[in-house]
């Protein structure tokens, strides 16, 4: 314990790698020791970026704080465990750090999809059967590990008045992934541990949202980060933002640069398992759609990149393989940061963008 305490004080920022190693080992068909060494190597690498990560394994965890009320209890969470069970472990970590005067962890890096570390869900704030969604998946309940009541507190937005302990990120794992998916991503993250430099932007949107998208991209446009599309007809481009549905999967490789390091898409998504890519309305104003940006397009950029999508269900990953999930397709290649919605996404069609 003393060695860990001394090591932790060498960095000014601290975080927790949170997973279930037994479940992850079964998924990948490997030994837990292999995963433990991999996470240790990742933590060693991140220390050079002034972040000290330590591993919290929900399949072999001993409660050590007084505040969590379960001191010395050893748990091995299995398939029946809920997000509340996992949240309790995080609360123990917080309590132990404060009781012993240890540096407090700010970052929470969850590794695994819903089958490894449960993704909490809260009731949807819009009560409309036509919406099609009755809940919202969110890891925010791990940022505020106060117990079961945090769900209702978040639904009423009262939770935001309390202290947020963690900045949370998750690496989902596709249903068809093997060990190389994890090792590839962790190495990519280490390669850009100091940050992802953005110099080249690819943006595409449905024509309905071209004004808003161009507005959002204007700072990058002014810096010359979007390729100059001045020679392309307005039917295909607006303010250097490519338009769907005219630009389809057949054209993506010719308009997206290989050195792209920021992808911003404002297209349509779908919750149908048979649909995998993003769509555009075609013909316009008919409510008929065709795929224009397939998951395979995420393999075009050869530089580490950030992926942002304002698309309904654009960030879905639970129960999907690599090629049925846009965000997992990117993470399997060169994407190191992804931001997208797993439910219907809402926003304005014209500036300002305050409600997006």
């Amino acid at each position: 314990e003393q060695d860990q305490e001394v090591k932790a004080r060498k960095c000014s920022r601290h975080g927790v790698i949170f997973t279930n190693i037994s479940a992850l080992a079964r998924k990948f068909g490997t030994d837990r020791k292999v995963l433990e060494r991999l996470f240790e190597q990742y933590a060693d690498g991140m220390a050079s970026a002034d972040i000290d990560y330590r591993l919290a394994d929900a399949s072999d965890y001993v409660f050590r704080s007084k505040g969590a009320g379960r001191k010395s209890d050893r748990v091995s969470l299995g398939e029946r465990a809920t997000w509340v069970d996992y949240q309790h472990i995080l609360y123990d970590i917080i309590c132990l750090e404060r009781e012993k005067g240890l540096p407090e962890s700010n970052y929470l890096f969850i590794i695994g999809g819903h089958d490894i570390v449960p993704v909490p869900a809260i009731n949807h704030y819009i009560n409309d059967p036509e919406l099609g969604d009755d809940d919202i998946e969110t890891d925010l309940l791990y940022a505020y590990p106060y117990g079961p009541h945090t769900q209702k507190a978040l639904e009423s937005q009262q939770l935001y008045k309390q202290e947020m302990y963690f900045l949370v990120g998750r690496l989902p794992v596709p249903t068809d992934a093997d060990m190389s998916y994890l090792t590839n991503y962790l190495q990519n993250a280490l390669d850009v541990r100091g940050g992802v430099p953005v110099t080249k932007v690819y943006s595409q949107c449905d024509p309905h949202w071209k004004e808003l998208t161009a507005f959002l991209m204007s700072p990058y446009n002014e810096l010359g980060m979007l390729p100059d599309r001045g020679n392309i007809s307005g039917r295909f481009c607006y303010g250097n933002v490519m338009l769907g549905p005219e630009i389809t999967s057949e054209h993506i490789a010719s308009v997206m640069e290989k050195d792209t390091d920021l992808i911003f898409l404002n297209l349509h998504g779908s919750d149908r398992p048979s649909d995998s890519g993003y769509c555009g309305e075609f013909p316009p104003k008919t409510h008929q759609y065709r795929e224009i940006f397939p998951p395979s397009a995420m393999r075009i950029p050869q530089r580490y990149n950030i992926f942002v999508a304002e698309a309904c269900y654009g960030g879905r990953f639970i129960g999907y393989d690599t090629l049925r999930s846009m965000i997992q397709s990117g993470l399997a290649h060169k994407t190191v940061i992804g931001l997208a919605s797993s439910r219907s996404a809402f926003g304005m069609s014209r500036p300002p963008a305050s409600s997006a």
Side-chain angles (χ1 to χ4, degrees), residues 202-217 226 229 234-248 252 255 263-268 278-281 290 292-293 308-311 348-349:
Y202 178 80
S203 182
Q204 186 172 356
C205 72
D206 188 278
H208 290 96
W209 304 317
K210 65 181 183 181
E211 293 180 28
L212 175 65
T213 308
F215 171 78
L216 294 173
M217 292 294 101
L226 275 77
R229 317 262 191 203
R235 174 185 169 191
F236 303 100
C237 180
Y238 182 86
N240 291 331
V241 174
M242 303 308 298
L243 300 179
E246 301 296 347
I247 299 299
T248 71
I252 296 297
V255 294
I263 304 167
F264 180 82
L265 305 176
N266 197 357
L267 298 166
H268 295 278
Y278 295 165
C279 303
E281 190 174 14
R290 68 177 180 186
I292 59 176
F293 195 97
V308 181
E310 278 195 74
M348 305 295 290
S349 60

Side-chain angles (χ1 to χ4, degrees), residues 18-19 24 110-117 119 170-173 317:
F18 192 38
T19 190
L24 207 56
I110 301 173
I111 296 182
H114 186 62
D115 57 332
I116 305 299
V117 178
V119 179
R170 179 189 290 261
L171 175 65
V173 177
F317 63 83

Side-chain angles (χ1 to χ4, degrees), residues 78-96:
E79 295 179 357
R80 295 185 179 182
T82 69
W83 64 264
V84 176
D85 299 313
Y86 281 81
Q87 192 195 62
H88 203 171
I89 290 175
L90 298 177
Y91 186 61
D92 181 67
I93 291 171
I94 293 166
C95 290
L96 183 67

Side-chain angles (χ1 to χ4, degrees), residues 68-323:
R70 296 181 60 177
K71 190 172 174 126
S72 300
D73 279 1
R74 181 183 291 272
V75 295
S76 180
L77 300 185
E79 295 179 357
R80 295 185 179 182
T82 69
W83 64 264
V84 176
D85 299 313
Y86 281 81
Q87 192 195 62
H88 203 171
I89 290 175
L90 298 177
Y91 186 61
D92 181 67
I93 291 171
I94 293 166
C95 290
L96 183 67
E97 290 174 346
R98 295 190 172 184
E99 289 170 9
K100 292 187 171 292
L102 299 172
E104 294 186 11
S105 299
N106 310 115
Y107 304 109
L108 179 63
F109 183 14
I110 301 173
I111 296 182
H114 186 62
D115 57 332
I116 305 299
V117 178
V119 179
I122 64 174
N123 293 314
H124 206 293
Y125 62 94
I126 298 177
N127 186 14
D128 183 356
E130 294 185 3
L131 178 64
D133 301 326
D134 55 12
D135 62 10
I136 300 173
E137 297 160 351
T138 176
D139 282 326
L140 269 177
L141 295 181
Y142 291 131
Y144 298 84
Y146 292 109
H149 73 278
T150 52
Q151 178 177 345
K152 289 186 177 180
L154 180 56
E155 291 169 353
S156 66
Q157 300 190 29
Q158 295 301 305
L159 191 61
Y160 298 122
K161 297 179 181 179
Q162 301 186 50
E163 180 183 3
M164 183 178 76
Y165 286 109
F166 297 110
L167 299 173
V168 184
R170 179 189 290 261
L171 175 65
V173 177
T175 58
D176 61 335
D178 57 23
M179 188 71 179
S180 64
Y181 173 88
L182 179 59
T183 56
N184 175 71
Y185 177 83
L186 293 181
Q187 184 58 58
N188 290 350
L190 285 175
D191 289 346
V192 292
R193 72 196 80 176
V196 183
V198 175
T199 59
K200 182 68 66 69
V201 180
Y202 178 80
S203 182
Q204 186 172 356
C205 72
D206 188 278
H208 290 96
W209 304 317
K210 65 181 183 181
E211 293 180 28
L212 175 65
T213 308
F215 171 78
L216 294 173
M217 292 294 101
S218 58
Y220 303 99
N221 236 339
E222 292 170 3
L223 293 172
M225 294 184 181
L226 275 77
D228 186 358
R229 317 262 191 203
N231 61 334
I232 298 179
S233 166
R235 174 185 169 191
F236 303 100
C237 180
Y238 182 86
N240 291 331
V241 174
M242 303 308 298
L243 300 179
E246 301 296 347
I247 299 299
T248 71
S249 56
E250 299 176 3
H251 312 110
I252 296 297
S254 63
V255 294
M256 182 190 287
E257 308 279 351
K258 289 188 176 182
D259 58 350
T260 295
D261 38 38
L262 172 60
I263 304 167
F264 180 82
L265 305 176
N266 197 357
L267 298 166
H268 295 278
S270 171
D271 62 345
R272 290 191 296 267
S274 59
D275 295 336
S276 56
Y278 295 165
C279 303
E281 190 174 14
F282 185 83
K285 300 181 180 180
T286 62
H287 297 290
Q288 298 181 43
Y289 303 90
R290 68 177 180 186
E291 184 179 273
I292 59 176
F293 195 97
S296 59
M298 295 300 295
R299 300 190 65 83
I300 294 174
Q302 296 305 305
R303 294 180 60 174
Y304 299 125
N305 61 78
I306 300 168
F307 170 69
V308 181
E310 278 195 74
C312 294
Y313 311 101
R316 69 183 196 182
F317 63 83
I318 295 178
Y320 287 99
D321 62 22
T322 308
L323 291 180

